[in-house]
Amino acid sequence: MPYFDAASSAPLHPVARQALLASLDEGWADPARLYREGRRASLLLDAAREAAAEAVGCRPDELVFTSSGTRAVHSAVSGALSGRRRVGRHLALSAVEHSSVLHAAAALEADGGSFTEVPVGRSGAVDPSVYGQALRADTALACLQSANHEVGTEQPVAETAEICAAAGVPLLVDAAQSLGWGPVPGRWSLLAASAHKWGGPAGVGLLAVRKGVRFAPRGPADERESGRAAGFENIPAIVAAAASLRAVRAEAAAEAVRLRALVDRIRTAVGSLVPDVEVVGDPERRLPHLVTFSCLYVDGETLLHELDRAGFSVSSGSSCTSSTLTPSHVLKAMGVLTEGNIRVSLPAGTTEEEVDGFLGVLPGVVAEVRQRLGAPAAAAPSPTPQASLVVDALGRRCPIPVIELAKVIGEVPVGGTVTVLSDDEAARLDIPAWCAMREQEYVGEEAADHGSAYVVRRLL
Amino acid sequence: MPYFDAASSAPLHPVARQALLASLDEGWADPARLYREGRRASLLLDAAREAAAEAVGCRPDELVFTSSGTRAVHSAVSGALSGRRRVGRHLALSAVEHSSVLHAAAALEADGGSFTEVPVGRSGAVDPSVYGQALRADTALACLQSANHEVGTEQPVAETAEICAAAGVPLLVDAAQSLGWGPVPGRWSLLAASAHKWGGPAGVGLLAVRKGVRFAPRGPADERESGRAAGFENIPAIVAAAASLRAVRAEAAAEAVRLRALVDRIRTAVGSLVPDVEVVGDPERRLPHLVTFSCLYVDGETLLHELDRAGFSVSSGSSCTSSTLTPSHVLKAMGVLTEGNIRVSLPAGTTEEEVDGFLGVLPGVVAEVRQRLGAPAAAAPSPTPQASLVVDALGRRCPIPVIELAKVIGEVPVGGTVTVLSDDEAARLDIPAWCAMREQEYVGEEAADHGSAYVVRRLL
């Protein structure tokens, strides 16, 4: 039963399991104590810190273990902001950061600070020079992920780090998705990562703060982990995290080549096997194991469910799969289609057969969902064309507004317009995306009594 | 090699180990995902929450898992303060709380709030009516541990909870030391605990917040654990924590009787085998497995070291064993001797032979340390007594100031005084404690050029 959602959480690596088991008997005592059980725990912790620091590319005394990647990000942001509060309370970040970074920015704003979201291009990457424009005299911290968690696009971290360094602003890199594949290049100042993303256990994050970076931990004092991560250290999990990071890195070069080829196969095949698909993210500068695509006229939640029934576990950034019924902020920032969105992220060891199995099942599943939703195969020309039409899709959720638009576009003459009334958040993204895919003109959005009116002009 | 420091961290319970191993393969996926791996993880998490809630005595939807007991305390304090910020920003707590509570109070004060420390009696317990006096109109939260982590004294939680309820103030109980022994009685509002204290794995804390208690989580938003504990859930550890809590509880009644008898044996034997010892903490209302005593004229760090060499792992609240060179705030609040302090906390399964082994070794170790430090066996009367003497112990650390006092007390006549000059933090506590043990009069402390002058009058 193939699991294709490694970007959410990777299955435990065998080395992580072995290291965890081996250290359960040695690593349970308080490493701050001077008796033998404490000294043994302390030795394990020191060795894990050295191994992890080597993999990160920092000094052991620059690295602490947190209880999760989210905690590492939250502590990195609050500590760096606090350490540079005399400079100001402004934060720069890309528009496609992980929610932990976005939430830290929102918390700053709620507390009287401010932030600037740097836009991304259609591939999902920031432009370093555009990033540089977001840096201000009062910018205390800049944040940029090493690679995007939803579409796999690598960010220009090294170039952005240079621009930040020139402006005297420390750069925090969220390396959660990439650290298992290799160290983050360039002169970053802070780095956060999460062990369960590379096959380590849950409960371990990494926070690296380069010497010389001003950093003042927030919250109640705690002596553990240099005062940067409160709470009793989870040493068996830390040992397992460090050991598995080393093991994953040893396999990374070969596995990257193998998975990159499998992902290339998916990228190519999806476009030819499934009509009306948009593969998103940079085709070259990307994580080796991750590909994301969106299918017109498909409901993401049903698609996930049907793929799960067929034995494939994937995730989606479509609005219907979110608890808030809003589409992924990443797809939104990229300006790409959000309906029928599927992210495939292959864990290490994924076989060609598993990928082919997925490609074998996908077209049928998409076709079936489309049929069930009444998606148009091709817009039938109407016998009596009207110059303009209004489609009322109020109260209907993604992908219905786009389906209704596609059904009637053939009923207006070339040059005529279709206006879609919708109160669904995804329509604002997906109607323009549909126009781009169909080479129709997206005229714009107008206020309406309920929701919005989206105007589309037929070009062909 | 007996380990007698269960109050710091207990060795992993066999059931915790089994549950951890069994759930490594089922519990690594994201429980928020809808595919099969996510559903399995979610089922494990739900079952663990139900089991833990039953042991705590709350509803499952009142309980979240945090990454440590410290995090549970920090989140409980900040969330309850935030939820009741319209009432005020005052916190009440006992003077003998765990450092995680004290640090949360200090953080509140640094942020413009205030707190009141409720004093304890010589046994280490608060008086509920004295506690009630600390509650003010602007008190947002009251904190009281279920039992003290250094001396084992149980606190009158149920009575204090009634007083708090009458005042409309929620009570947070830090149950870290007692939850393995049984549920916390009474009408508490919030509860925090830590799995590695009962033989569960590190990396898991519990935070219970009763329905109806105003609670507003602080820090960046996160959807996991009802928004009360940010970061990816560590499900295998959570499963192990819940399973071991249930297992430990099943053994608790019988094990409490057995360990209570072993602790009684230590309490009695220490007093008769070792001269000049003060056993501290309530002899009856106490944790079953913990006993603390202090030895006059002994250096705690050397004592720990020698006991470790002899094969026994214990801890100490003496100033010399602290990184800040200050004695334990618990012993200080109780007004008891802090030098030569030893805490023995027996893990489940400790045998009579191990305890007897400890009692066999202890007198010799203490005698040897005393001899090395030149401790007085008995004060020899001086041939030419002087009405008053000044002892200069400036720059000398605990237990030297007390040893120097004891050496010369016989050189002044009954009614005469010895003044000890000392800049050691422990002297302020231990000179009065010595006077109480020796039935001499502690006159008081005066300012001196360097440090303080402690005046003692010879009574016999």
Side-chain angles (χ1 to χ4, degrees):
Chain A
M1 301 289 271
Y3 172 80
F4 286 171
D5 198 23
S8 281
S9 189
L12 198 66
H13 192 281
V15 168
R17 170 187 278 271
Q18 286 161 22
L20 186 66
L21 295 193
S23 55
L24 283 177
D25 292 328
E26 300 275 310
W28 52 269
D30 184 346
R33 300 286 176 180
L34 300 176
Y35 43 67
R36 63 191 173 278
E37 293 87 354
R39 295 194 303 270
R40 281 204 293 255
S42 179
L43 286 173
L44 287 174
L45 182 58
D46 290 347
R49 197 184 312 279
E50 281 184 25
E54 194 188 339
V56 167
C58 67
R59 290 164 33 169
D61 61 354
E62 294 173 332
L63 184 81
V64 300
F65 296 104
T66 67
S67 59
S68 67
T70 294
R71 283 284 187 196
V73 165
H74 290 176
S75 297
V77 172
S78 64
L81 287 172
S82 189
R84 280 174 50 87
R85 64 189 170 282
R86 287 185 193 166
V87 170
R89 304 194 66 206
H90 176 255
L91 181 74
L93 70 163
S94 88
V96 296
E97 296 298 312
H98 184 262
S99 60
S100 60
V101 178
L102 300 183
H103 288 150
L108 169 67
E109 194 178 56
D111 194 34
S114 64
F115 64 86
T116 301
E117 275 189 10
V118 179
V120 295
R122 206 172 165 82
S123 77
V126 297
D127 176 329
S129 64
V130 173
Y131 200 109
Q133 290 161 23
L135 303 178
R136 313 189 320 202
D138 65 340
T139 303
L141 178 68
C143 303
L144 183 62
Q145 63 197 187
S146 54
N148 186 268
H149 52 298
E150 290 194 33
V151 301
T153 300
E154 287 178 355
Q155 300 292 353
V157 170
E159 300 88 324
T160 306
E162 289 306 316
I163 286 171
C164 290
V169 176
L171 178 68
L172 162 63
V173 178
D174 169 12
Q177 289 298 332
S178 75
L179 197 68
W181 296 109
V184 174
R187 292 199 293 159
W188 49 266
S189 298
L190 303 102
L191 181 146
S194 172
H196 76 101
K197 303 285 190 189
W198 69 66
V204 183
L206 303 184
L207 168 59
V209 182
R210 293 270 194 218
K211 288 287 159 199
V213 174
R214 286 185 190 277
F215 193 85
R218 293 300 304 273
D222 192 279
E223 290 185 358
R224 299 183 187 276
E225 291 298 288
S226 312
R228 292 176 180 174
F232 190 79
E233 298 93 340
N234 187 352
I235 293 180
I238 286 170
V239 169
S244 57
L245 179 55
R246 192 195 287 250
V248 162
R249 280 288 186 79
E251 302 154 357
E255 194 64 10
V257 170
R258 218 177 58 77
L259 294 185
R260 187 172 285 275
L262 292 178
V263 163
D264 282 338
R265 180 193 296 242
I266 298 173
R267 291 184 76 94
T268 308
V270 158
S272 62
L273 293 174
V274 183
D276 299 329
V277 160
E278 183 173 15
V279 180
V280 299
D282 195 296
E284 296 297 328
R285 287 195 61 163
R286 62 169 173 85
L287 292 170
H289 67 305
L290 195 154
V291 55
T292 298
F293 52 89
S294 298
C295 309
L296 262 183
Y297 316 138
V298 170
D299 155 16
E301 187 168 9
T302 306
L303 194 51
L304 285 196
H305 180 67
E306 294 301 326
L307 286 170
D308 177 48
R309 273 166 49 107
F312 297 92
S313 301
V314 297
S315 75
S316 168
S318 292
S319 57
C320 49
T321 64
S322 133
S323 58
T324 55
L325 294 178
T326 51
S328 144
H329 69 279
V330 172
L331 302 177
K332 184 175 171 181
M334 293 165 64
V336 297
L337 189 71
T338 75
E339 68 188 34
N341 180 259
I342 291 292
R343 177 184 71 183
V344 172
S345 52
L346 308 177
T350 299
T351 64
E352 208 173 303
E353 290 67 34
E354 288 170 329
V355 167
D356 287 346
F358 175 75
L359 292 173
V361 160
L362 183 70
V365 167
V366 172
E368 191 196 13
V369 177
R370 282 176 175 163
Q371 191 180 12
R372 213 184 301 167
L373 289 170
S382 163
T384 55
Q386 302 179 50
S388 66
L389 269 177
V390 175
V391 173
D392 182 352
L394 290 168
R396 313 293 301 275
R397 294 273 161 219
C398 160
I400 300 300
V402 174
I403 290 178
E404 295 302 317
L405 164 63
K407 275 183 181 166
V408 302
I409 191 73
E411 295 182 19
V412 299
V414 169
T417 61
V418 175
T419 298
V420 182
L421 303 177
S422 173
D423 51 7
D424 181 42
E425 192 59 34
R428 180 167 293 124
L429 308 169
D430 288 345
I431 289 175
W434 178 88
C435 291
M437 289 173 79
R438 281 287 180 270
E439 297 177 6
Q440 308 290 3
E441 181 188 346
Y442 178 63
V443 179
E445 175 182 346
E446 293 163 9
D449 278 355
H450 304 283
S452 294
Y454 301 95
V455 183
V456 173
R457 189 183 317 279
R458 181 176 173 192
L459 295 187
L460 44 85
Chain B
M1 302 289 272
Y3 171 80
F4 286 171
D5 198 22
S8 281
S9 189
L12 199 66
H13 192 281
V15 167
R17 170 186 277 272
Q18 287 161 22
L20 186 66
L21 296 193
S23 55
L24 283 177
D25 292 329
E26 300 275 309
W28 53 269
D30 184 345
R33 300 287 176 181
L34 299 176
Y35 43 67
R36 63 191 173 279
E37 294 87 353
R39 295 194 301 270
R40 281 204 294 254
S42 179
L43 285 174
L44 287 175
L45 182 58
D46 289 348
R49 197 184 312 280
E50 280 184 24
E54 194 189 339
V56 167
C58 67
R59 289 165 35 170
D61 61 354
E62 294 173 330
L63 185 82
V64 300
F65 295 104
T66 66
S67 60
S68 67
T70 294
R71 284 284 185 194
V73 164
H74 290 175
S75 298
V77 172
S78 64
L81 287 171
S82 190
R84 282 174 48 87
R85 62 188 171 283
R86 288 187 192 166
V87 170
R89 302 194 67 207
H90 177 255
L91 181 73
L93 69 162
S94 89
V96 296
E97 295 298 312
H98 185 262
S99 60
S100 59
V101 178
L102 300 183
H103 288 150
L108 169 66
E109 192 177 56
D111 194 35
S114 64
F115 64 87
T116 301
E117 276 188 10
V118 179
V120 295
R122 208 173 163 81
S123 76
V126 297
D127 176 330
S129 64
V130 173
Y131 200 109
Q133 290 161 24
L135 303 178
R136 313 189 320 203
D138 65 340
T139 302
L141 179 67
C143 304
L144 182 62
Q145 61 196 191
S146 54
N148 186 267
H149 52 298
E150 290 194 33
V151 300
T153 300
E154 287 177 358
Q155 300 292 353
V157 170
E159 300 88 324
T160 305
E162 288 305 317
I163 287 170
C164 289
V169 176
L171 178 68
L172 163 62
V173 178
D174 169 12
Q177 289 297 332
S178 75
L179 197 67
W181 296 109
V184 173
R187 290 199 293 160
W188 49 266
S189 299
L190 304 102
L191 181 146
S194 172
H196 77 100
K197 304 284 190 189
W198 70 64
V204 183
L206 304 184
L207 167 58
V209 182
R210 293 268 194 220
K211 287 288 160 203
V213 175
R214 286 185 189 276
F215 193 85
R218 293 299 303 273
D222 192 278
E223 289 186 358
R224 297 182 188 278
E225 291 297 286
S226 312
R228 293 177 180 174
F232 191 79
E233 298 92 341
N234 187 351
I235 293 179
I238 287 170
V239 169
S244 57
L245 180 54
R246 191 195 286 251
V248 161
R249 280 289 187 79
E251 301 154 358
E255 194 64 9
V257 169
R258 218 176 58 77
L259 294 184
R260 188 172 283 275
L262 292 177
V263 163
D264 281 339
R265 181 193 294 241
I266 298 174
R267 290 184 77 93
T268 308
V270 159
S272 61
L273 294 173
V274 183
D276 299 329
V277 160
E278 182 172 16
V279 180
V280 300
D282 195 297
E284 298 297 329
R285 286 195 63 163
R286 61 169 173 84
L287 292 169
H289 67 305
L290 195 156
V291 55
T292 298
F293 52 89
S294 298
C295 308
L296 262 183
Y297 316 138
V298 169
D299 154 16
E301 187 168 10
T302 307
L303 193 52
L304 286 195
H305 181 66
E306 293 301 325
L307 287 170
D308 177 48
R309 273 166 49 105
F312 297 92
S313 300
V314 297
S315 75
S316 169
S318 293
S319 58
C320 49
T321 64
S322 132
S323 59
T324 55
L325 294 178
T326 52
S328 143
H329 69 279
V330 173
L331 302 177
K332 185 175 169 180
M334 293 165 67
V336 297
L337 189 71
T338 74
E339 67 188 36
N341 180 258
I342 292 293
R343 176 184 70 183
V344 173
S345 52
L346 308 177
T350 299
T351 64
E352 208 173 306
E353 291 67 33
E354 289 170 329
V355 167
D356 286 346
F358 176 74
L359 291 173
V361 160
L362 183 70
V365 168
V366 172
E368 192 196 11
V369 178
R370 282 176 174 163
Q371 192 181 9
R372 213 184 298 167
L373 289 169
S382 161
T384 54
Q386 302 177 52
S388 66
L389 269 177
V390 176
V391 173
D392 183 353
L394 290 168
R396 312 295 301 276
R397 294 273 161 217
C398 160
I400 300 299
V402 174
I403 289 178
E404 295 302 317
L405 165 63
K407 275 182 181 166
V408 301
I409 191 74
E411 296 181 18
V412 298
V414 169
T417 61
V418 175
T419 300
V420 182
L421 302 177
S422 173
D423 51 8
D424 181 44
E425 192 59 35
R428 180 167 293 126
L429 307 170
D430 287 345
I431 289 175
W434 178 88
C435 291
M437 290 173 78
R438 280 287 179 271
E439 296 178 4
Q440 308 290 4
E441 180 188 348
Y442 177 62
V443 179
E445 175 182 346
E446 294 163 7
D449 278 356
H450 305 281
S452 293
Y454 302 94
V455 183
V456 174
R457 189 183 316 281
R458 181 176 172 192
L459 295 188
L460 44 85

